[in-house]
Amino acid sequence: MTKRFRFLLIVSCLSLFLNAQAQFDVPKSIEIGPHGGMSYYVGDLNPAKHFAQPSWQAGVVVRYNQSNRWVYRLDYTYANVQASDEVIKWRPERGLNFYSTIHDISLMVEFNFLEYYTGNPKKNFSPYLFAGVSGFMYNPCHVTDSSLVALRPLQTEGVSYSQFSLSIPFGFGFKLSLSKHVCASLEWRLHKTFTDYLDDCGGVYPNRVGSHNLLTTVPTVDQDTYDNYTDPTGNYAAGMQRGNSSYKDWYGIVGVSITWKFNLPDSRGCNLSKF
């Protein structure tokens, strides 16, 4: 094979590659819209059952479509999670329960398995994977017949923890182009958190109130009230295991989103509306 022939072969292959890339070059776009569906929790009160005691979630998603394959995404989610020993029956003799609202902001990257672009009749669906990072606020409460009692100020395990934490969201979904500008997505998203107190349970039963100065921290709480939230069944003593500190809590999101696509100008200042 002569040098000239090798050179022509390389040039031909490069030309074919560039032409193929040009065929799949699409205008960058932004999609924005609401999402909603189901939320749930996995942790010390529910260590194994996905979708147990589900609640609801809603939010807004913004996607930046870099190409047919890669998408950058910003997501806000308001979710509710809950669990009860009486319902889950993992440790019913413990008698704990909690309910918490979550405000989550996630930054994620999506990868489309198939070439996809909203409004393109030949590339109008694709399964996808995604992952990223998030920060969230939470507020675990004890559920009574008539009200919710915030648990974090009570220090039910004799420790203080923040209402803010980080998580690693990841999951998979399926997207479908419904029209020239509208996309529908169905997905399952899991959040691996960096806190063990989403449920206010993660360590051992504490000493009595006077031993960890709870009366100084929360002077309106008496001994009986504190014991009712820490060990409502009276089956445990200080130092016994209350939660599993080896594993952090999780929460899950299952839902549908509907987004509207806005094309961005290309490098020549044109908006390629044919896509």
Side-chain angles (χ1 to χ4, degrees):
M1 183 181 295
T2 65
K3 292 183 178 180
R4 182 177 181 182
F5 182 80
R6 286 199 299 268
F7 174 77
L8 291 175
L9 181 62
I10 292 172
V11 170
S12 298
C13 291
L14 182 60
S15 177
L16 289 173
F17 173 78
L18 293 177
N19 286 336
Q21 290 296 103
Q23 289 176 9
F24 299 127
D25 184 26
V26 296
K28 296 174 176 58
S29 63
I30 289 178
E31 296 183 13
I32 184 170
H35 67 78
M38 180 182 74
S39 53
Y40 67 94
Y41 141 94
V42 176
D44 295 286
L45 276 66
N46 174 32
K49 298 179 180 179
H50 286 271
F51 314 113
Q53 285 196 259
S55 190
W56 63 273
Q57 60 84 13
V60 177
V61 58
V62 179
R63 288 187 173 104
Y64 171 64
N65 297 301
Q66 172 70 25
S67 68
N68 282 329
R69 300 281 192 178
W70 293 101
V71 180
Y72 299 98
R73 167 176 163 185
L74 181 65
D75 197 302
Y76 166 74
T77 302
Y78 174 89
N80 301 280
V81 292
Q82 60 186 332
S84 167
D85 283 334
E86 182 180 359
V87 176
I88 300 299
K89 300 187 184 304
W90 173 255
R91 288 176 57 183
E93 75 285 352
R94 186 173 49 183
L96 298 178
N97 73 57
F98 90 99
Y99 175 92
S100 181
T101 58
I102 293 175
H103 296 270
D104 176 274
I105 296 179
S106 298
L107 182 62
M108 296 175 281
V109 177
E110 293 181 3
F111 174 74
N112 297 323
F113 281 97
L114 304 176
E115 292 180 352
Y116 172 85
Y117 199 80
T118 299
N120 188 321
K122 296 182 179 180
K123 302 179 178 68
N124 59 356
F125 69 92
S126 178
Y128 62 94
L129 293 175
F130 59 90
V133 296
S134 86
F136 67 96
M137 300 286 292
Y138 63 104
N139 183 35
C141 296
H142 177 81
V143 183
T144 69
D145 292 336
S146 59
S147 64
L148 299 175
V149 178
L151 292 170
R152 189 178 71 92
L154 299 181
Q155 300 180 23
T156 56
E157 294 185 357
V159 298
S160 177
Y161 57 88
S162 174
Q163 285 183 287
F164 174 81
S165 186
L166 301 174
S167 80
I168 300 175
F170 62 93
F172 63 90
F174 182 86
K175 61 181 64 172
L176 174 67
S177 177
L178 300 180
S179 70
K180 186 175 181 180
H181 292 284
V182 179
C183 170
S185 301
L186 172 65
E187 69 178 37
W188 180 20
R189 182 168 102 226
L190 291 172
H191 286 255
K192 169 61 175 174
T193 78
F194 290 90
T195 180
D196 200 23
Y197 284 97
L198 181 61
D199 48 17
D200 191 64
C201 178
V204 299
Y205 285 88
N207 294 321
R208 295 179 68 81
V209 172
S211 302
H212 74 280
N213 71 13
L214 180 70
L215 291 178
T216 301
T217 308
V218 191
T220 59
V221 177
D222 57 33
Q223 182 69 61
D224 291 338
T225 301
Y226 180 72
D227 288 346
N228 185 55
Y229 296 128
T230 298
D231 180 18
T233 60
N235 291 327
Y236 296 90
M240 296 179 70
Q241 199 70 32
R242 191 169 184 263
N244 188 345
S245 59
S246 300
Y247 300 98
K248 305 301 183 184
D249 297 328
W250 297 65
Y251 59 94
I253 302 293
V254 179
V256 175
S257 66
I258 301 293
T259 55
W260 183 271
K261 184 195 72 174
F262 300 90
N263 281 341
L264 299 175
D266 69 0
S267 59
R268 296 164 297 177
C270 301
N271 189 302
L272 303 181
S273 59
K274 68 178 181 179
F275 291 96

